[in-house]
Amino acid sequence: MAYDDVLISIGQFGRYQKRIYLLLCLPAISCALHKLSGVFLQAKVAHRCRLPIDDDNSTYYILPNGSVESLFYPWDEGQGSWSTCLRYDTNYSSQYFSSGVPATSTVTCSSWLYDKSIYESTISVEWDLVCDRAWLRAISDSLLMLGVMLGSIIFGALSDRLGRRPIFFISLVLQVIFGVLVGISPDVYTYMLTRMVVGATTSGVFLVAYVIAMELVGPKRRMFTGVAFQLFFTAGFLVTAGAAYLIRNWRLLQIALTLPGIAFFSYWWFIPESVRWLLTKGRTEEAKENLRAVARENKKVLNESMLEDLCAQSEADRKAVVNGAEPIKRPSLIDLFKYPNLRKKSLIIFFLWFVNSGTYYGLSWNTSNLGGNEYLNFVISGAVEVPAYTFLILTLDKWGRKLILCGAMILAGLCLLATVFVPHDMQWLNIVLAMGGKLAISSSYGTVYVLTAEQFPTVIRNVGLGAASTFARVGGILAPYANIMAEVWTPLPLIIFGALALSSGTLALALPETLNKKLPETIEDGESFGKKEKKLVVEEKNCEEMVHLNSHKS
């Protein structure tokens, strides 16, 4: 007796599942706040070198003696503006100003004056993370994503051992504690390390909540609920923008985004332990009671004999594992690389995850480099995810996974690469193309989850998904270094992401379609999956050519 059979009998997405599902979706908003808040916490603020003749009353906008920038700063071709990192080396004498002839040699700035008309404070202002220290902003975001990767490994393993529920709450508590510590950090290094821990907790909260929610939902509703879960992350996008607009001090903003997480501590009395996990640990009585609670609230009759069969089967499987009685050796990651077709598909899938994650987070963090209103750019970047995920819900089971994935990635690549041809005076077009790329990559990121689960054979599916997720985290870790390239040339990050999206979307054309196909169960099935399809196409083509040739002869 399968667990899904029991779920079907008591309601696949009844009142009980909807209530728990909604509760578990809300912490996804909190995770989004912590992953995306760096756009405003670390915002690059307009700045200029503090000159030797600047006094305490000088500001970003007021130059000494009413002079112009050309007297003090060299022109930066890459940025298309006066340099913010170099100044002319001169004694700034009264004769110099009267002659109006600038010096020709330059020196590196040692301090700066910042434009505080948009941000009251950011870590970039407080700790001078500009010019040759700008790379610290990239390291901060990179360490955040390293924390996300470590958290998925650590909390994933602990949730399998100790249970989904306790790890979920431990992650919530740590997220609040370290979220506050980020806001009171005395220096940039403490800020980065505490934020890395917060990144790890987002995995413990988001992934564990996702697993509990999906394990409660019947098979026919998992695609919808899985995609809809992402929309709550998108809601976090919009909440982040609203909070940052109202709170312009980075320390207050960080604490304000963290403290609402305390409300989720109340879930201790509402969120049940995963029934699947309880069955694997032999806690059958708790599993039975949880399933009975689902049936009661859904107003369904639970067949007790079906429940007993499920528990008996789960207990037999558990004892077989404990006693080492499994007759078949479990496949490992190495098995994905032993066979040519499976190896090719695995490498393409891993590259797809790397590019999707890197491009998604890279574009999400890059909104301040697009020009125009930074808050509006960020809101649009989040809002485009709504039609992206809605599109998936409506088409994924109709048009197929491959068409949507390849089409979305190729479209994203073309949109992002097109930004290189946009003139400086057409900022609006640059923003439109970047947001078109963000919309497309959001669709492909949602699709790659489904396609990957269906490409890997059942016996190694979890291993394959875990490896793919690791490659995704690597993409997220490297994305900030692409974004920091905007310091050299503003369009460069979009060009990098566009080239990667276009190449990976093209490579994905080599993957077989999985919609309405019998999915692979064994390693042998995985190796042959897609081969027969290609062979059939070749045979049909040869047959058509032969018919055409014979008709021509006759």
Side-chain angles (χ1 to χ4, degrees), residues 90-283:
T90 177
N91 60 11
Y92 296 99
S93 65
S94 58
Q95 291 82 4
Y96 167 82
F97 287 112
S98 62
S99 65
V101 179
T104 55
S105 61
T106 60
V107 293
T108 303
C109 303
S110 58
S111 61
W112 293 263
L113 294 171
Y114 295 93
D115 176 10
K116 296 187 177 182
S117 61
I118 299 177
Y119 299 98
E120 179 185 325
S121 74
T122 71
I123 70 166
S124 300
V125 173
E126 186 166 334
W127 295 315
D128 285 333
L129 304 188
V130 295
C131 299
D132 59 348
R133 283 171 59 84
W135 59 275
L136 289 171
R137 299 201 311 268
I139 288 181
S140 174
D141 282 331
S142 185
L143 287 176
L144 174 76
M145 296 308 291
L146 176 62
V148 173
M149 182 172 72
L150 294 175
S152 64
I153 296 170
I154 296 169
F155 290 119
L158 289 176
S159 69
D160 285 339
R161 179 177 299 179
L162 304 177
R164 320 292 195 215
R165 191 167 174 271
I167 297 305
F168 176 70
F169 287 102
I170 289 172
S171 301
L172 280 172
V173 172
L174 290 175
Q175 188 172 96
V176 170
I177 293 173
F178 279 87
V180 172
L181 289 177
V182 170
I184 61 175
S185 298
D187 55 66
V188 66
Y189 302 105
T190 305
Y191 167 87
M192 289 192 292
L193 290 175
T194 51
R195 198 158 176 255
M196 183 173 72
V197 177
V198 170
T201 65
T202 62
S203 291
V205 173
F206 187 89
L207 294 180
V208 175
Y210 183 85
V211 169
I212 295 175
M214 291 302 102
E215 288 180 346
L216 273 175
V217 177
K220 287 187 177 180
R221 303 308 299 271
R222 282 185 194 139
M223 194 278 288
F224 167 77
T225 53
V227 174
F229 200 95
Q230 303 296 328
L231 288 172
F232 285 83
F233 191 90
T234 301
F237 227 113
L238 305 179
V239 173
T240 302
Y245 183 80
L246 295 173
I247 305 172
R248 306 298 178 97
N249 180 295
W250 79 267
R251 292 184 183 275
L252 295 178
L253 175 61
Q254 171 62 27
I255 293 172
L257 295 177
T258 298
L259 292 181
I262 295 174
F264 298 127
F265 296 174
S266 64
Y267 280 19
W268 183 263
W269 292 277
F270 304 108
I271 301 300
E273 182 55 90
S274 162
V275 173
R276 282 187 185 272
W277 183 83
L278 290 171
L279 290 172
T280 62
K281 296 301 178 181
R283 293 161 60 173

Side-chain angles (χ1 to χ4, degrees), residues 26-86:
L26 294 178
I29 297 176
S30 180
C31 293
L33 302 181
H34 290 292
K35 282 188 175 182
L36 301 169
S37 60
V39 172
F40 303 104
L41 301 177
Q42 304 171 182
K44 177 185 174 182
V45 176
H47 54 281
R48 69 173 178 86
C49 289
R50 180 182 285 275
L51 301 167
I53 52 175
D54 274 316
D55 55 31
D56 293 339
N57 295 322
S58 296
T59 68
Y60 170 75
Y61 289 103
I62 302 176
L63 289 167
N65 298 339
S67 302
V68 294
E69 289 93 338
S70 60
L71 292 176
F72 304 106
Y73 308 115
W75 185 258
D76 187 335
E77 290 292 345
Q79 295 297 318
S81 63
W82 301 107
S83 177
T84 59
C85 299
L86 300 172

Side-chain angles (χ1 to χ4, degrees), residues 269-300:
W269 292 277
F270 304 108
I271 301 300
E273 182 55 90
S274 162
V275 173
R276 282 187 185 272
W277 183 83
L278 290 171
L279 290 172
T280 62
K281 296 301 178 181
R283 293 161 60 173
T284 55
E285 290 305 316
E286 293 176 65
K288 288 178 184 179
E289 187 52 42
N290 283 359
L291 289 172
R292 290 182 185 122
V294 176
R296 280 195 303 271
E297 190 165 334
N298 289 349
K299 300 188 185 316
K300 298 284 186 178

